[in-house]
Amino acid sequence: MTRVRNRAFSIFVACALALAGCRSAHEDETRLVRVWAHQGQEAENKAMREIAEAFDDAHRAFGVRVELTFFPDFQYAEKLAIAAAARDLPDAFDLDGPMVARLVDAGLLAPLDAWIDEETRGDFLPTILQQGTIEGRLYALGAFESAAVLYYDREKFERADVVAPPDLEGWTWDEFLEACAKLRTAGIEAVALHMDESADEWYTYAFSPVVWSAGGALVSPEGDDVQGVLASEANVRALESWQELFARGFAATDPVDPDPFGSGTVAMDWSGHWMARSHLEKFGDRLGVMPLPRVGPEAAAPCGSWCWGVSATSARTEDAVRWLKWVTHPEHGVAPIVRANGAVPARRSAFASFPEYRENPYALFRRQLETVARPRPRTPFYATLTQRFAAALRDIARGADVRSRLETAEAEVQRVVARRRVRDGGVDGSAEAVP
Amino acid sequence: MSLRVLRWTAAALVAAVFLAPLLWMFAGSFRETSALFRGGPWSWIGGDGWTWDNYGEAWRRGALGRASLNTLLQVAVIGGGGLFVNSMAAFAFARMRFAGREALFAAVVVFVILPVEVLAVPLFFTARDLGLTGGYTSAMAGLTLPFLAKAFNIYLLRQHFMALPTALEEAAVIDGAGAWRVFWNIALPAVRPALATVVLLDVLTHWSDFLWPLLVATREETRTVQIGLANLFTQPPVDWGAILACAVMATLPVLLSFRLLQRHLVLTDTGAGIK
Amino acid sequence: MSDWRRRQSRAAVWFLAPAGILLAVFVVWPLARSLWWSFHYADLLAPDGQPWAGGSHYSDLLRDPRFRRAFANTALFAVLVVPLQTTLAFFLALWVNRPEPAWRWLRVVFFLPTIVAMPVLAILWTMLYQPAQGDETGLINAMLGIVGVPAQAWLRDPLLALPAIAFMSIWQGTGLQMMVFLAGLQNVPRETLEAARVDGAGAWQRTRHVVVPAMRNSIVFVVTVTTILAFRLFVQPYLMTRGGPGNSTVSLVQTIYETTFLAQDLGRACAAAFLFLLLVGGLALVQRRLLREERA
């Protein structure tokens, strides 16, 4: 019995060794590109896998293959950071748009200028290029964009005698408040702002346009300072107007229902492109859409989404760029992923495969991205900034004094900025210490 | 008689207060999200809006198959291996005399203070230097090795060893038993409830680990349960009903190990205490 | 006997070696590394080879209002939780320490919250504390409504948020302490207790003069551990309030976490971790001084 087992065991070992031998011989020929991606919805992950398989098929002749690994969205940034610290970043990875600046600051992303020609660049939406460009150089490209708009229910508007602005003009804030008041009088809840969102990013993403429209900003134009910017007069005025929505009972500070517009209790939805499909399904022709209301004279809209970068320390930059080009290619990358996640295609040539973009709300998404949309601040301390700003917005919605709350947030962010200054200015040559 | 009735009523009331949140969690996992917060204090017991869908949704979106096995292995290694390592050290601190005992023990108490969030980055560097990240075997080692020796468990077990009467051990020593036999045959069996507690706490702690497994895992086959579940909380729409279902599912394995260990815990040990 | 003692100290080495080596590799060495980083401008994305920072991280932290607030919050949390939880657990242990099966069930009931993972409970209690919005409200407001207490915005009110989190934490942790006390109760000498009863001592006197002294070690253990665990507060406020409203629930560990992963200022984060360790370590040692254990 023992002998038989031993025999079986040695056969097993021999086979295993042979297999291992085969595999290593095989791997010598194919170059493996390690790729990390955040885990999206199921359909999105499936599409990503198919894109990767298609990439492998198409690049067999070059001897290139990708190894695609998903990590949960939650604390993905932490995962990337510590991999970077340990010099263990994959060859290519996706990251949220506003995080690009920090990785560039640490010298971890390879510039793509040499790899992407002018014609290809011209095909990307301008916001995608802005999002990936730091100090004049391109570091990241995405396959899709995002948009936020104000959806409304025509039928509820009619009942409350509210008239939507013509020609997809956005409302001024006063017009918006007036509409809310009318709805309220008609016994209809006015607007959903999704204040139940647990992630900080929703707040910065959705409500920065309020600040921008009033001529405010989150960081200085150079992106290196928040002193006197975050708590500026314009920001205070903008967010005091925003606060009125809660103070006058037009929007809930602690909603329970994640989609009150969809369930028919609310007349307007301040939300993103990701709700377009389900809203259209539920409301059909009753669904109206307009740009976000503005506090000042400037129309503003948010944008930005996940994008792809290539590690500066990758030993296979060329192959990693091949992957990046593939996954942002209008047919190979953009079309399948957009079909899966319903985001806005990042390339103009890809819109041809999506006829819905001839009509609203989709047409409005594209129009905003081509004209008034702005990326969130591109600055190395973005992570702190967005967290403190979001915390301030939560408190302001619940009645905190706008000016002093913004001043606290400003001081807290500036403290992080100041430490970075001390480090960079304190000792010469610290920049060289970053490989 | 009336005193007894009073006592039982009080017990029932206090138990109800303690249990209510967990019962609400269980009931809520079978409710449609829209029915969760409506209709007054008792609606969660009666009322409409009952559904099974939350469980299907949570299971599907969490993708729990392989991840459950990984977590089980991780928890088993930490719970089992840690038991030996920590009880030996605890016994030494409780029963043996050696130079620097007090100082060393004070150091252990100080280590109890450190939560993993504080030590994660340097610990990750150590794990990387020792080759404990990356492939399956090394990642599983990376998930378990750093948590075998645990200051808290040493402290807890020492406290129980110290509480044991010394008579039995002294008798054994006089009979010529070595330190190991005293430890293994006499002291260890006597602190069985404490050992069960320690294992249970290990299971509980590491079952809910998130940050460390995420940092150590670089491949999908090394993923643990909480990482699978995290997807549920972060992918919109946030669906409270499904989250409750997922909370119940995440609790079941711990409940099961509690059931298995329960016999050994002081909790149900009729032999306990002042009668 | 001196021979036994020599043998003992040689055996001690072997008993301590496994845990000692593991702790040295996975706790002491990482700690030493972070001590080194805490004196440098270590960047999370490029930790090594950065310029010397001296004590500037430490002095900056001590002047940082958010860090100081975090310390105050964490200390307040400990002050709320330690005495209440210890006392509650002690009396629950005395209460349920009876042989009938029903009381055993009661022990399990008190222990159950302990075995549910904290992140799960944090999310659960966020729902229970849900403030009133129209006709919808969380269970706690609904229950208090029966007694006529007006609905509160528990986690949204700067004054109520930390106590609300402390309440939830006490509910969660009491069961474990109760179990330690139950184990300790086994050491109470039954003869002394009987004698006290015969002498006519009431329940309160018996508890004070017989039970408490006999359980001294258990009490020291529970107080020390609860204090330390209270200072490690992180998951509850991080998931339930994100440190808000304002900075009213931000905890020390949260500031360390954020400095590491959001500001990615590793040097400063390590300095914060050391300040944390010094503060809590100092406190634990003072406590041990004050509440000397009886030596076995």
Side-chain angles (χ1 to χ4, degrees):
Chain A
M1 184 62 196
T2 333
R3 245 201 1 243
V4 174
R5 225 166 51 198
N6 276 342
R7 186 104 134 274
F9 181 72
S10 44
I11 290 171
F12 170 78
V13 168
C15 288
L17 283 175
L19 275 174
C22 290
R23 227 177 61 195
S24 62
H26 187 64
E27 271 174 5
D28 282 345
E29 295 156 25
T30 48
R31 301 192 299 278
L32 199 63
V33 182
R34 284 172 68 217
V35 174
W36 285 0
H38 81 283
Q39 203 164 342
Q41 299 138 14
E42 281 169 300
E44 204 174 349
N45 294 346
K46 193 161 155 279
M48 274 304 298
R49 289 206 192 282
E50 283 163 9
I51 291 171
E53 277 163 30
F55 176 87
D56 288 350
D57 289 342
H59 292 77
R60 198 151 282 148
F62 297 95
V64 183
R65 214 160 56 79
V66 289
E67 184 196 58
L68 181 64
T69 314
F70 292 106
F71 292 101
D73 195 347
F74 183 59
Q75 294 187 335
Y76 179 72
E78 279 88 335
K79 169 83 191 161
L80 272 187
I82 205 156
R87 294 280 162 271
D88 192 29
L89 278 179
D91 300 300
F93 49 91
D94 73 348
L95 68 164
D96 202 7
M99 304 313 296
V100 174
R102 172 65 180 124
L103 289 184
V104 171
D105 164 71
L108 294 167
L109 285 179
L112 302 172
D113 303 85
W115 305 96
I116 311 291
D117 59 50
E118 275 309 313
E119 199 196 328
T120 314
R121 265 184 221 218
D123 191 40
F124 280 93
L125 288 175
T127 51
I128 286 285
L129 297 173
Q130 280 173 35
Q131 167 182 269
T133 303
I134 306 295
E135 289 176 357
R137 302 179 84 177
L138 182 68
Y139 291 93
L141 281 173
F144 47 82
E145 249 298 0
S146 70
V149 293
L150 195 67
Y151 298 97
Y152 62 89
D153 179 356
R154 291 181 200 281
E155 198 246 10
K156 291 197 184 72
F157 268 23
E158 229 162 83
R159 249 198 294 152
D161 202 20
V162 173
V163 183
D167 301 331
L168 294 182
E169 254 329 274
W171 269 327
T172 65
W173 203 260
D174 289 337
E175 290 167 337
F176 180 47
L177 290 178
E178 197 187 319
C180 290
K182 273 188 182 168
L183 285 161
R184 199 63 211 249
T185 321
I188 304 168
E189 279 183 54
V191 59
L193 297 186
H194 303 279
M195 300 301 289
D196 56 330
E197 190 57 59
S198 60
D200 295 323
E201 208 45 41
W202 163 251
Y203 299 86
T204 311
Y205 176 83
F207 306 120
S208 290
V210 176
V211 166
W212 292 333
S213 70
L218 300 190
V219 291
S220 65
E222 299 77 32
D224 61 351
D225 214 339
V226 293
Q227 195 76 57
V229 181
L230 202 54
S232 66
E233 280 308 315
N235 287 15
V236 171
R237 194 160 48 87
L239 292 181
E240 275 171 355
S241 310
W242 181 73
Q243 194 177 37
E244 271 189 67
L245 290 174
F246 305 98
R248 294 171 66 180
F250 299 151
T253 50
D254 287 278
V256 173
D257 187 345
D259 181 19
F261 184 75
S263 36
T265 51
V266 172
M268 294 181 276
D269 194 18
W270 188 304
S271 185
H273 66 259
W274 51 91
M275 294 312 290
R277 271 183 202 176
S278 85
H279 285 353
L280 272 172
E281 259 167 43
K282 280 182 190 139
F283 293 90
D285 288 342
R286 264 172 69 189
L287 183 73
V289 68
M290 66 175 109
L292 299 176
R294 54 183 192 275
V295 173
E298 291 181 50
C303 66
S305 196
W306 292 87
C307 55
W308 290 93
V310 168
S311 167
T313 50
S314 167
R316 305 192 194 292
T317 311
E318 194 181 346
D319 297 329
V321 170
R322 277 204 176 102
W323 164 255
L324 185 140
K325 281 183 171 170
W326 183 269
V327 80
T328 58
H329 186 278
E331 286 148 47
H332 303 145
V334 177
I337 200 78
V338 165
R339 217 161 273 135
N341 69 8
V344 186
R347 297 186 67 159
R348 289 174 171 137
S349 56
F351 283 105
S353 352
F354 297 93
E356 65 264 35
Y357 275 84
R358 276 179 236 130
E359 280 164 45
N360 285 322
Y362 296 99
L364 179 61
F365 296 160
R366 182 173 181 184
R367 196 176 88 177
Q368 284 191 166
L369 289 168
E370 299 263 21
T371 53
V372 294
R374 302 186 208 181
R376 283 155 282 168
R378 280 160 292 163
T379 166
F381 50 86
Y382 182 79
T384 305
L385 174 67
T386 186
Q387 190 223 17
R388 297 293 199 279
F389 184 61
L393 287 175
R394 283 194 190 97
D395 291 349
I396 288 168
R398 291 176 187 125
D401 177 63
V402 177
R403 184 180 305 274
S404 65
R405 188 62 188 85
L406 282 179
E407 278 165 0
T408 309
E410 181 181 292
E412 285 168 1
V413 179
Q414 191 62 27
R415 199 161 196 106
V416 171
V417 177
R419 291 309 289 168
R420 293 178 51 84
R421 288 241 177 89
V422 171
R423 185 195 73 186
D424 295 340
V427 183
D428 282 329
S430 61
E432 274 84 31
V434 182
Chain B
M1 178 63 199
S2 73
L3 190 74
R4 251 191 82 189
V5 170
L6 201 71
R7 184 186 284 165
W8 284 112
T9 322
L13 261 177
V14 176
V17 168
F18 258 79
L19 271 184
L22 296 176
L23 289 178
W24 189 86
M25 170 171 106
F26 188 70
S29 71
F30 294 100
R31 305 303 294 272
E32 281 161 18
T33 301
S34 57
L36 270 178
F37 298 93
R38 261 176 233 270
W42 306 114
S43 64
W44 57 284
I45 301 170
D48 49 5
W50 295 90
T51 176
W52 286 100
D53 297 349
N54 294 332
Y55 281 86
E57 179 80 1
W59 181 260
R60 198 172 51 78
R61 283 170 67 181
L64 299 176
R66 178 71 180 261
S68 308
L69 284 179
N70 287 341
T71 305
L72 276 180
L73 183 62
Q74 176 205 5
V75 164
V77 171
I78 295 180
L83 210 52
F84 282 98
V85 172
N86 295 320
S87 61
M88 281 165 70
F91 184 70
F93 279 124
R95 279 294 194 260
M96 295 174 171
R97 277 160 223 278
F98 51 89
R101 181 171 83 158
E102 291 309 301
L104 268 180
F105 184 67
V108 167
V109 174
V110 169
F111 293 154
V112 177
I113 298 163
L114 288 167
V116 70
E117 290 85 9
V118 166
L119 216 55
V121 175
L123 186 58
F124 181 79
F125 274 69
T126 306
R128 180 205 56 181
D129 295 345
L130 296 173
L132 300 181
T133 62
Y136 187 75
T137 326
S138 43
M140 286 320 282
L143 279 179
T144 50
L145 273 185
F147 305 105
L148 283 182
K150 207 170 283 153
F152 178 84
N153 293 355
I154 295 177
Y155 190 7
L156 185 98
L157 290 170
R158 166 188 173 268
Q159 201 245 353
H160 284 265
F161 280 126
M162 278 174 54
L164 291 182
T166 50
L168 257 179
E169 295 167 36
E170 276 157 12
V173 169
I174 289 164
D175 286 350
W180 178 259
R181 262 185 53 206
V182 173
F183 167 69
W184 188 254
N185 293 341
I186 297 169
L188 213 50
V191 295
R192 218 178 44 189
L195 296 178
T197 312
V198 163
V199 172
L200 185 66
L201 287 179
D202 271 347
V203 169
L204 180 58
T205 314
H206 294 287
W207 184 264
S208 60
D209 264 356
F210 179 79
L211 182 63
W212 183 252
L214 178 71
L215 296 181
V216 172
T218 48
R219 299 195 191 164
E220 278 172 58
E221 65 259 30
T222 52
R223 177 150 310 175
T224 60
V225 165
Q226 299 298 332
I227 297 186
L229 291 179
N231 219 23
L232 208 70
F233 295 91
T234 52
Q235 281 306 309
V238 176
D239 181 342
W240 288 115
I243 287 176
L244 286 175
C246 147
V248 171
M249 287 199 298
T251 306
L252 284 180
V254 187
L255 204 64
L256 195 71
S257 47
F258 173 67
R259 195 65 202 107
L260 289 174
L261 292 166
Q262 198 185 18
R263 220 155 45 81
H264 306 286
L265 296 168
V266 195
L267 285 179
T268 50
D269 189 353
T270 34
I274 338 160
K275 313 244 165 70
Chain C
M1 208 57 201
S2 76
D3 178 43
W4 159 241
R5 192 162 291 172
R6 211 175 314 120
R7 275 208 345 249
Q8 223 185 10
S9 73
R10 221 177 309 136
V13 174
W14 293 108
F15 273 79
L16 288 171
I21 291 169
L22 285 166
L23 285 175
V25 173
F26 293 112
V27 179
V28 179
W29 173 237
L31 264 181
R33 202 187 303 234
S34 63
L35 185 64
W36 172 255
W37 283 333
S38 79
F39 290 105
H40 290 80
Y41 287 108
D43 180 340
L44 176 63
L45 300 186
D48 293 314
Q50 299 286 12
W52 177 254
S56 84
H57 291 308
Y58 291 90
S59 55
D60 184 63
L61 278 165
L62 292 175
R63 285 195 307 267
D64 182 348
R66 188 170 151 93
F67 186 76
R68 281 153 68 156
R69 184 67 199 266
F71 176 72
N73 288 340
T74 314
L76 177 62
F77 178 79
V79 166
L80 285 174
V81 165
V82 176
L84 285 175
Q85 186 167 315
T86 310
T87 319
L88 181 62
F90 185 82
F91 284 105
L92 284 182
L94 282 183
W95 193 42
V96 299
N97 191 39
R98 293 162 210 273
E100 296 95 337
W103 295 101
R104 272 186 269 149
W105 278 107
L106 207 54
R107 294 181 212 169
V108 175
V109 165
F110 294 143
F111 190 70
L112 268 182
T114 308
I115 70 168
V116 184
M118 196 44 116
V120 170
L121 291 179
I123 288 161
L124 173 66
W125 278 77
T126 311
M127 293 190 229
L128 297 177
Y129 279 134
Q130 182 74 22
Q133 290 269 325
D135 61 340
E136 303 187 332
T137 186
L139 182 65
I140 296 200
N141 276 334
M143 285 293 176
L144 288 176
I146 303 176
V147 211
V149 179
Q152 301 292 325
W154 297 101
L155 298 172
R156 314 294 180 223
D157 184 327
L159 288 176
L160 291 177
L162 195 67
I165 289 175
F167 180 81
M168 173 265 191
S169 308
I170 291 171
W171 169 80
Q172 195 264 348
T174 301
L176 182 66
Q177 327 293 52
M178 179 196 73
M179 198 151 81
V180 177
F181 281 134
L182 274 173
L185 279 173
Q186 296 178 73
N187 306 327
V188 177
R190 227 183 303 173
E191 304 75 31
T192 327
L193 213 59
E194 246 352 280
R197 196 198 298 270
V198 171
D199 287 350
W204 174 248
Q205 279 175 317
R206 266 178 287 146
T207 306
R208 227 194 116 198
H209 296 290
V210 183
V211 180
V212 170
M215 289 177 61
R216 191 179 176 87
N217 283 1
S218 298
I219 294 171
V220 174
F221 175 81
V222 166
V223 169
T224 313
V225 165
T226 313
T227 308
I228 290 174
L229 293 182
F231 269 91
R232 287 169 50 161
L233 173 71
F234 172 59
V235 172
Q236 301 93 304
Y238 190 69
L239 292 181
M240 295 166 80
T241 62
R242 303 227 113 202
N247 282 332
S248 62
T249 57
V250 71
S251 71
L252 275 174
V253 176
Q254 185 179 339
T255 60
I256 297 171
Y257 183 83
E258 287 169 1
T259 314
T260 310
F261 288 108
L262 296 185
Q264 306 194 336
D265 190 343
L266 185 60
R268 193 169 192 269
C270 289
F274 264 91
L275 283 178
F276 172 77
L277 191 64
L278 284 178
L279 282 169
V280 186
L283 207 71
L285 291 180
V286 167
Q287 254 182 2
R288 273 175 70 75
R289 262 296 133 74
L290 291 177
L291 307 162
R292 278 215 161 279
E293 286 177 355
E294 274 172 32
R295 292 275 149 246

